[in-house]
Amino acid sequence: MKHVTDADFDTRVLAADRPVLVEFTAGWCGPCRQMAPVLAAVAEEEKDRLDVVVIDADTSPETVIRYGVLSMPTLLLFRSGEPVKSMVGARPKRRLLQELEDVLEPRLTPAR
């Protein structure tokens, strides 16, 4: 999974040409560690529709403050430089994918 910081957040997330799911995390956060394999699986499964990145709240406080993140983990989905969905707390992969489905572009189905 890709890591971003205060220094490269704008270029790697806000200027991205596709949706980006950002997990605000911290090393001391148990639920954040639980989310790591879930996010890795989502990143692989949705690689055609979505980028997934992680930002450490302790080392990148400016971005945390800018988006009003108060709890870890917080997941924000950005599209066209704007946050379009916010989710707080750990969740299983199935639930996360269901919550993302309404804000992601529909899957392309092969022509028959």
Side-chain angles (χ1 to χ4, degrees), residues 73-86:
T74 290
L75 303 165
L76 291 180
L77 182 70
F78 287 82
R79 189 171 51 213
S80 301
E82 296 293 326
V84 295
K85 185 147 193 118
S86 175

Side-chain angles (χ1 to χ4, degrees), residues 22-35 54-61 63-65 68-75 87-91:
V22 179
E23 180 198 25
F24 290 82
T25 187
W28 47 262
C29 171
C32 299
R33 287 190 297 275
Q34 290 176 325
M35 284 300 297
V54 176
I55 187 166
D56 186 286
D58 292 330
T59 59
S60 296
T63 306
V64 171
I65 292 167
V69 173
L70 300 174
S71 299
M72 303 302 151
T74 290
L75 303 165
M87 299 160 277
V88 177
R91 59 215 345 100

Side-chain angles (χ1 to χ4, degrees), residues 2 13 21 30 33 35 37-38 50-51 79 101 104 110 112:
K2 302 171 194 167
V13 175
L21 180 64
R33 287 190 297 275
M35 284 300 297
V38 170
L50 175 72
D51 288 330
R79 189 171 51 213
E101 196 58 41
L104 292 178
R112 293 182 190 221

